[in-house]
């Protein structure tokens, strides 16, 4: 079986500007943050991003890498809740958005996973989701009528086909089998099934035999057909939470949100945390935590 | 049952009227998922579950279904699993009543929690539409507003996240599940039972005048001339609110006076 282990920067080397990428996780929960930081280190730009957004989308916006965004929401999940960099990109008119109901994101990924052009869904009808999308979002009328002879007209959610997907899971093997440990898989399997190239970072890479011992069968959400590259990235979801591996680093997330307020404070944040390798980041984060303790 | 004496029913606070009004949102709801999105509606849903609506399903707000009815912020025994993707299945199935917040609500129940200003270049960014479009088109939806003001109750919302009655398409049966049940605020209890589903007053909390409501709402509120007073909580409800569900009185932080 193929050994799919790669480095973060090797993964980003397979990306191209202008791609449509999916980012797994949810809000500030088990986000592929190490991948996002690797994208920030690259000169990749003009991305179209599909996500249940959190600080992943915020960081990409901070570096001007997003041209278009498809999302159900953007939230940091704790105060100040609204991501400051996403907010800046929006109020500055820097990104084109296809905002949609949360359930439409799942529906669009499911359509792509099944290689269907659309799936019907009720969510979106009557709302300004129609206005956000304009002609890019159409309706479909049922060929079957109800008892009174009326046919339902529903949203035809288009497939959210992705060039690449990035997800972060707790444990995996070198071949792409991977599982989550915690209360929620989120939608990471769907992102992988909707994409051409699929990259998973994991807290730890183990032998297959150990993987299937450590995780109940139902939590093995990725198999080899769903993954092209595996990156071992302990702390790779930081500062978002990661199921049983660790909780959200609330202090650091607040620092991130505060730092976005002025050009000077952001430059200081970039200098300290985002100007080196992933190892440099993790070391700086550890030091930050120690300072907060002191 | 730790208390033998009845709590003092003469000292009912505004937040306690809001709590029972939020509980009444779920009257008759039966065996569905109650999804309150703020502290007062959460106390209300759990109060309903401990009194008249024992079959409600409630979660920890993340992925676990509670068997118990714990206090605000506390864990309890669980009875099942409800990760986010299964929530969308519940939404589509309709067995749910959500109580959302709102940055804006108009006379016919259109709601905004997305952003202010133009869609592609807002003046202020909030969450985006979240699950509001799917909630409102699929199952019972109510709203909680802790500070009733003319900035919330506006003539026209900037972004329609939650669908209102004037967007209802009579010719399309896909709209048939739209039901906006109640709006509970720090001033009173409202619904969309006015003419053409207009915003209507059902009761005002003790101490609130019709004038208070009119001057804090951009549009005309139906029923204000003849509106009654929110009922008193029972001694049992007060005991549950004060001793069981919210002993730290977190409810007071969310209710503007």
């Amino acid at each position: 079986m193929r050994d799919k282990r790669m480095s973060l920067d090797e993964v980003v080397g397979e990306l191209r500007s202008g791609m449509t990428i999916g980012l797994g996780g949810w809000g500030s929960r088990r986000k592929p943050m190490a991948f996002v930081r690797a994208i920030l280190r690259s000169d990749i730009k003009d991305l179209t991003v599909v996500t249940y957004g959190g600080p992943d989308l915020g960081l990409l916006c901070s570096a001007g890498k997003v041209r278009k965004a498809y999302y159900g929401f953007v939230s940091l999940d704790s105060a100040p809740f609204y991501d400051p960099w996403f907010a800046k990109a929006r109020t500055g008119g820097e990104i084109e958005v296809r905002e949609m109901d949360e359930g439409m994101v799942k529906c669009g990924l499911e359509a792509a996973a099944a290689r269907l052009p659309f799936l019907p869904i009720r969510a979106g009808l009557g709302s300004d989701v129609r206005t956000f999308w304009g002609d890019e979002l159409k309706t479909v009328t049922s060929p079957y009528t109800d008892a009174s002879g009326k046919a339902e007209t529903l949203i035809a959610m288009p497939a959210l086909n992705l060039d690449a997907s990035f997800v972060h899971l707790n444990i995996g093997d070198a071949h792409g089998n991977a599982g989550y440990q915690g209360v929620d898989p989120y939608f990471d399997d769907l992102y992988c099934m909707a994409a051409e190239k699929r990259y998973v970072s994991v807290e730890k890479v183990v032998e297959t035999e150990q993987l299937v011992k450590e995780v109940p069968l139902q939590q093995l959400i990725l198999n080899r057909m769903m993954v092209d590259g595996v990156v071992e990235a302990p702390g790779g979801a930081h500062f978002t939470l990661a199921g049983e591996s660790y909780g959200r680093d609330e202090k650091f997330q607040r620092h991130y949100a505060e730092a976005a307020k002025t050009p000077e404070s952001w430059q200081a944040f970039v200098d300290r945390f985002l100007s080196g390798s992933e190892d440099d980041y993790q070391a700086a984060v550890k030091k930050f935590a120690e300072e907060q303790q002191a | 049952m730790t208390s033998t004496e009845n709590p003092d029913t003469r000292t009912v606070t505004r937040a306690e009227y809001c709590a029972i009004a939020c509980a009444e949102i779920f009257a008759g709801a039966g065996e569905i998922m109650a999804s309150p999105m703020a502290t007062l509606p959460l106390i209300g849903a759990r109060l309903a579950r401990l009194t008249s609506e024992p079959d409600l399903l409630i979660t920890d707000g993340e992925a676990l279904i509670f068997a118990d009815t714990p206090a605000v912020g506390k864990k309890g025994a669980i009875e099942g699993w409800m990760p986010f993707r299964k929530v969308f299945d519940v939404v589509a199935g309709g067995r749910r009543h959500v109580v959302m917040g709102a940055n804006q609500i108009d006379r016919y129940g259109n709601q905004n929690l997305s952003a202010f200003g133009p869609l592609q270049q807002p003046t202020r960014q909030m969450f985006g539409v979240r699950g509001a479009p799917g909630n409102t088109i699929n199952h019972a939806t109510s709203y909680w507003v802790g500070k009733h003001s003319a900035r919330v109750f506006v003539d026209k919302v900037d972004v329609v996240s939650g669908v209102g009655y004037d967007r209802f398409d009579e010719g399309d049966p896909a709209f048939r599940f739209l039901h906006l049940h109640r709006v509970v605020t720090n001033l009173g209890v409202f619904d969309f039972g006015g003419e053409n589903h207009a915003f209507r007053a059902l009761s005002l909390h003790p101490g609130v005048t019709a004038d208070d409501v009119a001057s804090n709402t951009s549009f005309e509120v139906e029923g204000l001339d003849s509106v009654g007073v929110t009922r008193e909580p029972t001694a049992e409800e007060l005991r549950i609110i004060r001793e069981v569900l919210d002993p730290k009185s977190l409810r007071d932080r969310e209710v503007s006076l």
Side-chain angles (χ1 to χ4, degrees):
Chain A
M1 280 179 274
R2 280 198 295 151
D3 186 338
K4 297 175 184 171
R5 282 175 294 179
M6 300 173 74
S7 71
L8 288 169
D9 293 327
E10 281 170 349
V11 168
V12 173
E14 295 194 353
L15 285 187
R16 295 291 171 264
S17 293
M19 276 185 166
T20 297
I21 65 166
L23 298 171
W26 168 283
S28 187
R29 303 170 202 223
R30 220 181 64 230
K31 279 287 173 179
M33 298 298 279
F35 280 130
V36 168
R37 290 186 281 267
I39 293 171
L40 292 189
R41 287 194 291 276
S42 76
D43 51 13
I44 301 289
K45 57 183 184 177
D46 293 327
L47 293 171
T48 293
V49 177
V50 177
T51 187
Y52 288 104
D56 51 338
L57 185 54
L59 278 175
L60 291 176
C61 286
S62 80
K65 297 201 178 281
V66 184
R67 185 175 59 79
K68 194 172 180 184
Y70 290 73
Y71 57 87
F73 65 83
V74 180
S75 172
L76 295 178
D77 290 336
S78 54
F81 295 102
Y82 309 138
D83 181 273
W85 278 112
F86 173 68
K88 274 187 206 185
R90 289 276 286 135
T91 56
E94 295 164 26
I95 56 175
E96 189 178 353
V97 304
R98 294 293 177 263
E99 188 169 306
M100 71 192 103
D101 175 78
E102 291 172 11
M104 292 169 70
V105 179
K106 172 175 175 267
C107 186
L109 293 172
E110 285 172 335
R115 302 179 296 174
L116 293 169
F118 72 91
L119 281 172
I121 186 170
R122 202 178 308 280
L125 288 173
S127 76
D128 267 337
V129 167
R130 304 293 303 275
T131 328
F132 274 109
W133 287 61
D135 292 342
E136 206 181 311
L137 186 69
K138 302 181 195 303
T139 57
V140 61
T141 300
S142 172
Y144 309 105
T145 54
D146 65 16
S148 68
K150 283 184 182 171
E152 286 190 54
T153 296
L154 298 152
I155 297 290
M157 180 64 208
L160 292 170
N161 294 302
L162 308 171
D163 295 314
S165 271
F166 300 91
V167 303
H168 182 79
L169 287 167
N170 303 85
I171 185 168
D173 67 15
H175 315 293
N177 298 298
Y180 71 98
Q181 292 168 306
V183 293
D184 201 320
Y186 309 118
F187 301 84
D188 291 353
D189 49 345
L190 287 180
Y191 281 100
C192 289
M193 289 194 285
E196 286 287 326
K197 301 291 276 182
R198 298 77 45 91
Y199 304 100
V200 57
S201 58
V202 291
E203 289 295 316
K204 59 176 178 175
V205 174
V206 297
E207 292 298 322
T208 309
E209 191 183 25
Q210 189 187 341
L211 168 67
V212 300
K213 263 187 216 157
E214 283 202 33
V215 181
L217 289 176
Q218 294 81 355
Q219 294 182 5
L220 293 167
I221 56 173
L222 301 185
N223 61 52
R224 289 186 289 115
M225 294 182 286
M226 299 160 76
V227 174
D228 296 293
V230 177
V231 176
E232 185 169 60
H238 182 272
F239 45 91
T240 68
L241 64 78
E244 289 169 8
S245 298
Y246 42 88
R248 184 176 304 130
D249 187 343
E250 295 286 2
K251 281 181 182 161
F252 189 90
Q253 177 165 291
R254 272 198 299 278
H255 182 60
Y256 155 78
E258 284 288 317
K261 283 184 177 168
T262 70
E264 295 74 28
S265 57
W266 186 249
Q267 190 57 52
F269 185 91
V270 170
D271 290 346
R272 183 169 181 190
F273 297 109
L274 299 175
S275 296
S277 67
E278 177 68 14
D279 284 347
D280 294 335
Y281 172 82
Q282 295 293 346
V285 161
K286 191 162 173 249
K287 190 147 176 281
F288 176 84
E290 286 162 4
E291 286 168 14
Q292 297 291 311
Q293 291 281 334
Chain B
M1 300 280 176
T2 52
S3 175
T4 50
E5 287 175 47
N6 279 336
D8 190 346
T9 54
R10 295 165 304 178
T11 57
V12 180
T13 66
R14 182 66 59 80
E16 287 162 350
Y17 287 109
C18 292
I20 61 163
C22 285
E24 288 195 350
I25 286 173
F26 299 100
E31 201 156 38
I32 61 151
M33 191 158 94
S35 295
M37 299 295 180
T39 302
L40 254 296
L42 184 144
I43 294 168
R46 294 186 188 185
L47 179 58
R49 195 174 192 243
L50 289 171
T51 55
S52 61
E53 294 296 325
D55 291 334
L56 286 175
L57 279 76
I58 60 169
T59 72
D60 66 346
E62 193 169 9
L64 306 175
I65 309 174
F66 279 134
D68 291 344
T69 308
V72 179
K74 298 288 184 198
K75 294 184 193 307
I78 66 164
E79 65 168 351
W81 189 44
M82 189 58 66
F84 288 127
R85 69 170 59 192
K86 285 183 179 285
V87 173
F88 298 136
D89 295 339
V90 175
V91 169
R95 294 184 181 279
R96 186 167 182 253
H97 190 151
V98 69
V99 186
M100 292 189 284
N103 295 88
Q104 297 174 319
I105 296 176
D106 76 14
R107 190 175 186 187
Y108 296 102
N110 295 290
Q111 169 255 24
N112 176 21
L113 49 64
S114 173
F116 292 140
L119 296 193
Q120 293 295 343
Q121 187 167 3
T123 54
R124 177 157 188 251
Q125 179 64 44
M126 285 92 77
F127 284 122
V129 298
R130 295 220 73 149
N135 290 342
T136 46
I137 207 73
N138 276 300
H139 56 65
T141 299
S142 293
Y143 293 107
W144 159 248
V145 176
K147 185 175 184 183
H148 188 134
S149 78
R151 291 169 58 157
V152 174
F153 292 95
V154 294
D155 293 330
K156 190 176 185 313
V157 305
D158 291 30
V159 181
V160 177
S161 338
V163 179
Y165 283 107
D166 60 351
R167 297 220 163 194
F168 192 97
D169 182 346
E170 294 285 350
D172 184 358
F175 282 76
R176 67 193 180 280
F177 304 117
L178 179 73
H179 172 55
L180 307 179
H181 187 63
R182 290 278 189 280
V183 180
V184 176
T185 80
N186 61 318
L187 300 185
V189 182
F190 308 86
D191 70 0
F192 294 94
E195 195 178 342
N196 296 321
H197 294 285
F199 189 76
R200 175 178 73 168
L202 294 179
S203 73
L204 305 187
H205 304 321
V208 176
T209 66
D211 211 38
D212 293 334
V213 173
S215 62
N216 284 292
T217 309
S218 288
F219 47 83
E220 192 190 330
V221 180
E222 288 201 29
L224 264 189
D225 299 341
S226 54
V227 70
V229 177
T230 304
R231 73 164 172 86
E232 295 300 316
T234 66
E236 174 69 355
E237 286 171 326
L238 276 183
R239 186 189 67 77
I240 293 171
I241 295 167
R242 292 173 181 176
E243 297 179 19
V244 178
L245 290 176
D246 187 25
K248 291 183 181 160
S249 220
L250 297 171
R251 60 191 176 277
D252 290 331
R253 297 188 198 170
E254 208 176 78
V255 179
S256 183
L257 290 179

